Amino acid sequence: MTVKTKNVLVNMSGLSKIFPNGTTAVKDVNLEIKEGEFICFVGPSGCGKSTIFKMITGLEDHTNGELEIFGHSPDEARKQNEVAFVFQDHTLLPWKNVRDNVALPLQLKGVSKKERYAEAERVLELVGLAHTTTMLPRELSGGMKMRVSIARALVTRPRLLLMDEPFGALDEITRQSLQEELLNIWQKDSSMTVLFITHNVFEAVYLSSKVAVMTPGPGKISSNIEVPYAYPRGDQFRTTPEFGELVGDVSKVLDH
Amino acid sequence: MSMKNPALSTSLIKEKKWSFDIQTILFSLLKKVSLPILVFVVFVGGWELFCRATGIAHYILPAPSDIYLAAVANSENLLGAMFVTISSALMGFIMSVVLGISGAVLLASSKVIEKALYPYVVLLQTIPIIAIAPIIVIWFGAGTNAIVIIAFLIGFFPMLSNTLVGLNSTDSNLRNLFSLYNASKFQTMWRLRLPAALPYIVAGLKISCTLATIGVIAGEYIAGIGGGRGGLGYAITVAASNIQTAYLFACGLAASVLGIGFFLIINYISKLLLSSWHESEMDQQ
Ligand SMILES: Nc1ncnc2c1ncn2[C@@H]1O[C@H](COP(=O)(O)OP(=O)(O)O)[C@@H](O)[C@H]1O
Ligand SMILES: [Mg+2]
């Protein structure tokens, strides 16, 4: 069992978002996220998962309630470069090679070429793509592009990693091997917290230490389900009775 | 092995394909051009025969052989005129590219500026160049200056509007990514929006280079030579007033050769610029 410290990293209380057009995307969300957790947000599309992420990164303001990240406002937290984001789409720049793509966050920060390349190579090693440094995104498969995208997120050594349906567009086999890799990377860095959006209940239970189950109309967290199963989990976890039960619990909340 | 070093194996495959393909490429090229060449031969031959059979006056319809002889006899003048025209076209084109792209960057960097200025840019574009040419001649004097400015004005708008559309159509996820990493406005422009607009800029280049050649020849008509050496447009006016119809045809042909040559060069440069882009990314644009 991994021992992880318990500082509160993200605190949402009574958090709501009403868009200018009147849509209530999320209403009264309360959630305390502790350092080192792996939390999956699962729910049907349109229930406000992405909106919560956008508020955490400060891309969208919240309209009501409180939201603190490391005790700061979202904007301040983002400026400290400790929050990283992986989108469903790989969002790689087609005209830059893999290494330059991965080093981009550091380049924008003004880190020297030598330093940022060294960091890029470190994280590419981590995702098993050390041999692709000078290749262009178009030369990579979908799964490899997603790995590069994850490497880019890790390059700033973030304390908080947000992933919005990152494996949604991948085939099941690639998806499972990436899940495995992600868990490995997360375990190596005990202080990194991962928030992961998915609409796949199996993926949520397999990955997370806690599942935040969201329901629409208006978007809210209906239930937090702990997954008390030790890491590293390995494929056998998927076939245990506990796994089945937890999947059942989550699905029950979603069906309501 | 192919798993370990995909870069190596793909380059091997490419090489193999290349040496194998050279025959098929030549063959398909031959197939592609043989039909147009046949049409050309039939057309020129028919024209020549028609002129000889009917004995039509040379100053009304010169035979292809007359045109060729006129071109050879005046080759020094013709080449000189071509050189003058292409120099002016190149200058006008470079001006429209530089100012078109900078103008687009300026408009795109602030919504307020864009909203305030773009309608006027469009309005200016609708004024026919013929209508403002005399003013340009009054301001800049007859000759090269006025000619280059006319060529610039014609090529400027396509360059500006293409680049502007490109700058404004950057993928919103990519823009979010840059905001997330606290990129400055300048960084977002230089590292994201401009490179992402490249396919649009390239489309603008192709339009503007064609227009610049046309603009110069039209400009030479309107603005004369003002003491300098005359280009093709000027040569055309002279040949027309002397009823040197065969030479007139030769000038027209030279103008289209220039236009096509210029376009092919820009087309080639465009391909180089976009070499790191994948076709699929181009299709999305
Ligand atoms: N910019 C926006 N303006 C208005 N409504 C929006 C905007 N973005 C999202 N919404 C609405 O907010 C709700 C939640 O969206 P989102 O967070 O993207 O859902 P999810 O990620 O769970 O699929 C949806 O009803 C969506 O239509
Ligand atoms: Mg979403």
PDB file of all heavy atoms in Angstrom, chain A residues 221-237:
ATOM      1  N   ILE A 221     -22.049  16.449  -8.182  1.00  0.00           N
ATOM      2  CA  ILE A 221     -21.447  15.189  -7.756  1.00  0.00           C
ATOM      3  C   ILE A 221     -22.462  14.481  -6.875  1.00  0.00           C
ATOM      4  O   ILE A 221     -22.807  14.963  -5.797  1.00  0.00           O
ATOM      5  CB  ILE A 221     -20.140  15.423  -6.986  1.00  0.00           C
ATOM      6  CG1 ILE A 221     -19.119  16.111  -7.910  1.00  0.00           C
ATOM      7  CG2 ILE A 221     -19.578  14.102  -6.467  1.00  0.00           C
ATOM      8  CD1 ILE A 221     -17.769  16.347  -7.282  1.00  0.00           C
ATOM      9  N   SER A 222     -22.979  13.342  -7.348  1.00  0.00           N
ATOM     10  CA  SER A 222     -24.027  12.652  -6.601  1.00  0.00           C
ATOM     11  C   SER A 222     -23.466  11.761  -5.525  1.00  0.00           C
ATOM     12  O   SER A 222     -24.117  11.477  -4.533  1.00  0.00           O
ATOM     13  CB  SER A 222     -24.884  11.812  -7.537  1.00  0.00           C
ATOM     14  OG  SER A 222     -25.628  12.656  -8.362  1.00  0.00           O
ATOM     15  N   SER A 223     -22.241  11.275  -5.764  1.00  0.00           N
ATOM     16  CA  SER A 223     -21.705  10.330  -4.799  1.00  0.00           C
ATOM     17  C   SER A 223     -20.191  10.221  -4.961  1.00  0.00           C
ATOM     18  O   SER A 223     -19.664  10.343  -6.067  1.00  0.00           O
ATOM     19  CB  SER A 223     -22.362   8.963  -5.039  1.00  0.00           C
ATOM     20  OG  SER A 223     -21.765   7.994  -4.218  1.00  0.00           O
ATOM     21  N   ASN A 224     -19.498  10.056  -3.839  1.00  0.00           N
ATOM     22  CA  ASN A 224     -18.070   9.762  -3.890  1.00  0.00           C
ATOM     23  C   ASN A 224     -17.867   8.330  -3.463  1.00  0.00           C
ATOM     24  O   ASN A 224     -18.234   7.956  -2.353  1.00  0.00           O
ATOM     25  CB  ASN A 224     -17.306  10.687  -2.945  1.00  0.00           C
ATOM     26  CG  ASN A 224     -17.219  12.091  -3.497  1.00  0.00           C
ATOM     27  OD1 ASN A 224     -16.734  12.287  -4.606  1.00  0.00           O
ATOM     28  ND2 ASN A 224     -17.695  13.066  -2.735  1.00  0.00           N
ATOM     29  N   ILE A 225     -17.298   7.528  -4.324  1.00  0.00           N
ATOM     30  CA  ILE A 225     -17.119   6.116  -3.999  1.00  0.00           C
ATOM     31  C   ILE A 225     -15.635   5.801  -3.872  1.00  0.00           C
ATOM     32  O   ILE A 225     -14.869   5.990  -4.823  1.00  0.00           O
ATOM     33  CB  ILE A 225     -17.788   5.228  -5.073  1.00  0.00           C
ATOM     34  CG1 ILE A 225     -19.297   5.499  -5.058  1.00  0.00           C
ATOM     35  CG2 ILE A 225     -17.495   3.759  -4.828  1.00  0.00           C
ATOM     36  CD1 ILE A 225     -20.081   4.769  -6.108  1.00  0.00           C
ATOM     37  N   GLU A 226     -15.230   5.371  -2.672  1.00  0.00           N
ATOM     38  CA  GLU A 226     -13.822   5.029  -2.445  1.00  0.00           C
ATOM     39  C   GLU A 226     -13.509   3.686  -3.125  1.00  0.00           C
ATOM     40  O   GLU A 226     -14.352   2.798  -3.158  1.00  0.00           O
ATOM     41  CB  GLU A 226     -13.541   4.883  -0.937  1.00  0.00           C
ATOM     42  CG  GLU A 226     -13.820   6.133  -0.117  1.00  0.00           C
ATOM     43  CD  GLU A 226     -12.677   7.131  -0.164  1.00  0.00           C
ATOM     44  OE1 GLU A 226     -11.539   6.733  -0.542  1.00  0.00           O
ATOM     45  OE2 GLU A 226     -12.917   8.318   0.156  1.00  0.00           O
ATOM     46  N   VAL A 227     -12.302   3.569  -3.651  1.00  0.00           N
ATOM     47  CA  VAL A 227     -11.870   2.294  -4.211  1.00  0.00           C
ATOM     48  C   VAL A 227     -10.716   1.777  -3.346  1.00  0.00           C
ATOM     49  O   VAL A 227      -9.569   2.088  -3.601  1.00  0.00           O
ATOM     50  CB  VAL A 227     -11.424   2.438  -5.675  1.00  0.00           C
ATOM     51  CG1 VAL A 227     -11.091   1.072  -6.277  1.00  0.00           C
ATOM     52  CG2 VAL A 227     -12.508   3.112  -6.503  1.00  0.00           C
ATOM     53  N   PRO A 228     -11.032   1.020  -2.300  1.00  0.00           N
ATOM     54  CA  PRO A 228     -10.000   0.665  -1.313  1.00  0.00           C
ATOM     55  C   PRO A 228      -9.187  -0.548  -1.753  1.00  0.00           C
ATOM     56  O   PRO A 228      -9.175  -1.566  -1.091  1.00  0.00           O
ATOM     57  CB  PRO A 228     -10.828   0.347  -0.063  1.00  0.00           C
ATOM     58  CG  PRO A 228     -12.128  -0.161  -0.604  1.00  0.00           C
ATOM     59  CD  PRO A 228     -12.340   0.440  -1.960  1.00  0.00           C
ATOM     60  N   TYR A 229      -8.535  -0.428  -2.860  1.00  0.00           N
ATOM     61  CA  TYR A 229      -7.786  -1.571  -3.380  1.00  0.00           C
ATOM     62  C   TYR A 229      -6.366  -1.096  -3.643  1.00  0.00           C
ATOM     63  O   TYR A 229      -6.151  -0.061  -4.275  1.00  0.00           O
ATOM     64  CB  TYR A 229      -8.441  -2.072  -4.670  1.00  0.00           C
ATOM     65  CG  TYR A 229      -8.039  -3.469  -5.067  1.00  0.00           C
ATOM     66  CD1 TYR A 229      -8.768  -4.577  -4.617  1.00  0.00           C
ATOM     67  CD2 TYR A 229      -6.956  -3.689  -5.899  1.00  0.00           C
ATOM     68  CE1 TYR A 229      -8.408  -5.869  -4.980  1.00  0.00           C
ATOM     69  CE2 TYR A 229      -6.586  -4.978  -6.271  1.00  0.00           C
ATOM     70  CZ  TYR A 229      -7.322  -6.060  -5.810  1.00  0.00           C
ATOM     71  OH  TYR A 229      -6.962  -7.333  -6.187  1.00  0.00           O
ATOM     72  N   ALA A 230      -5.376  -1.855  -3.134  1.00  0.00           N
ATOM     73  CA  ALA A 230      -3.995  -1.373  -3.152  1.00  0.00           C
ATOM     74  C   ALA A 230      -3.426  -1.271  -4.566  1.00  0.00           C
ATOM     75  O   ALA A 230      -3.817  -2.020  -5.457  1.00  0.00           O
ATOM     76  CB  ALA A 230      -3.126  -2.302  -2.316  1.00  0.00           C
ATOM     77  N   TYR A 231      -2.527  -0.308  -4.749  1.00  0.00           N
ATOM     78  CA  TYR A 231      -1.724  -0.213  -5.978  1.00  0.00           C
ATOM     79  C   TYR A 231      -0.399  -0.905  -5.698  1.00  0.00           C
ATOM     80  O   TYR A 231       0.032  -0.959  -4.543  1.00  0.00           O
ATOM     81  CB  TYR A 231      -1.456   1.258  -6.323  1.00  0.00           C
ATOM     82  CG  TYR A 231      -2.688   2.070  -6.625  1.00  0.00           C
ATOM     83  CD1 TYR A 231      -3.295   2.836  -5.632  1.00  0.00           C
ATOM     84  CD2 TYR A 231      -3.217   2.102  -7.910  1.00  0.00           C
ATOM     85  CE1 TYR A 231      -4.410   3.607  -5.911  1.00  0.00           C
ATOM     86  CE2 TYR A 231      -4.333   2.888  -8.187  1.00  0.00           C
ATOM     87  CZ  TYR A 231      -4.932   3.645  -7.180  1.00  0.00           C
ATOM     88  OH  TYR A 231      -6.027   4.404  -7.454  1.00  0.00           O
ATOM     89  N   PRO A 232       0.326  -1.437  -6.653  1.00  0.00           N
ATOM     90  CA  PRO A 232      -0.084  -1.562  -8.056  1.00  0.00           C
ATOM     91  C   PRO A 232      -1.162  -2.622  -8.221  1.00  0.00           C
ATOM     92  O   PRO A 232      -1.118  -3.656  -7.575  1.00  0.00           O
ATOM     93  CB  PRO A 232       1.217  -1.988  -8.752  1.00  0.00           C
ATOM     94  CG  PRO A 232       2.042  -2.618  -7.685  1.00  0.00           C
ATOM     95  CD  PRO A 232       1.670  -1.962  -6.409  1.00  0.00           C
ATOM     96  N   ARG A 233      -2.102  -2.330  -9.105  1.00  0.00           N
ATOM     97  CA  ARG A 233      -3.279  -3.192  -9.167  1.00  0.00           C
ATOM     98  C   ARG A 233      -3.120  -4.337 -10.163  1.00  0.00           C
ATOM     99  O   ARG A 233      -3.458  -5.461  -9.871  1.00  0.00           O
ATOM    100  CB  ARG A 233      -4.507  -2.348  -9.517  1.00  0.00           C
ATOM    101  CG  ARG A 233      -4.908  -1.483  -8.332  1.00  0.00           C
ATOM    102  CD  ARG A 233      -6.015  -0.523  -8.644  1.00  0.00           C
ATOM    103  NE  ARG A 233      -6.474   0.147  -7.426  1.00  0.00           N
ATOM    104  CZ  ARG A 233      -7.317   1.153  -7.402  1.00  0.00           C
ATOM    105  NH1 ARG A 233      -7.792   1.632  -8.544  1.00  0.00           N
ATOM    106  NH2 ARG A 233      -7.674   1.693  -6.269  1.00  0.00           N
ATOM    107  N   GLY A 234      -2.612  -4.048 -11.327  1.00  0.00           N
ATOM    108  CA  GLY A 234      -2.404  -5.116 -12.305  1.00  0.00           C
ATOM    109  C   GLY A 234      -3.708  -5.597 -12.909  1.00  0.00           C
ATOM    110  O   GLY A 234      -4.797  -5.325 -12.377  1.00  0.00           O
ATOM    111  N   ASP A 235      -3.617  -6.318 -13.998  1.00  0.00           N
ATOM    112  CA  ASP A 235      -4.806  -6.737 -14.739  1.00  0.00           C
ATOM    113  C   ASP A 235      -5.743  -7.619 -13.926  1.00  0.00           C
ATOM    114  O   ASP A 235      -6.945  -7.641 -14.171  1.00  0.00           O
ATOM    115  CB  ASP A 235      -4.392  -7.463 -16.023  1.00  0.00           C
ATOM    116  CG  ASP A 235      -4.401  -6.510 -17.215  1.00  0.00           C
ATOM    117  OD1 ASP A 235      -5.097  -5.472 -17.117  1.00  0.00           O
ATOM    118  OD2 ASP A 235      -3.728  -6.800 -18.216  1.00  0.00           O
ATOM    119  N   GLN A 236      -5.173  -8.353 -12.940  1.00  0.00           N
ATOM    120  CA  GLN A 236      -6.055  -9.265 -12.191  1.00  0.00           C
ATOM    121  C   GLN A 236      -7.147  -8.519 -11.411  1.00  0.00           C
ATOM    122  O   GLN A 236      -8.208  -9.062 -11.147  1.00  0.00           O
ATOM    123  CB  GLN A 236      -5.238 -10.179 -11.250  1.00  0.00           C
ATOM    124  CG  GLN A 236      -4.570  -9.500 -10.082  1.00  0.00           C
ATOM    125  CD  GLN A 236      -3.186  -8.946 -10.465  1.00  0.00           C
ATOM    126  OE1 GLN A 236      -2.822  -8.909 -11.644  1.00  0.00           O
ATOM    127  NE2 GLN A 236      -2.428  -8.502  -9.478  1.00  0.00           N
ATOM    128  N   PHE A 237      -6.891  -7.232 -11.119  1.00  0.00           N
ATOM    129  CA  PHE A 237      -7.905  -6.438 -10.412  1.00  0.00           C
ATOM    130  C   PHE A 237      -9.203  -6.398 -11.206  1.00  0.00           C
ATOM    131  O   PHE A 237     -10.300  -6.439 -10.638  1.00  0.00           O
ATOM    132  CB  PHE A 237      -7.364  -5.022 -10.157  1.00  0.00           C
ATOM    133  CG  PHE A 237      -8.346  -4.107  -9.482  1.00  0.00           C
ATOM    134  CD1 PHE A 237      -9.100  -4.514  -8.390  1.00  0.00           C
ATOM    135  CD2 PHE A 237      -8.508  -2.801  -9.928  1.00  0.00           C
ATOM    136  CE1 PHE A 237     -10.000  -3.660  -7.768  1.00  0.00           C
ATOM    137  CE2 PHE A 237      -9.408  -1.940  -9.314  1.00  0.00           C
ATOM    138  CZ  PHE A 237     -10.155  -2.368  -8.244  1.00  0.00           C
TER     139      PHE A 237
END
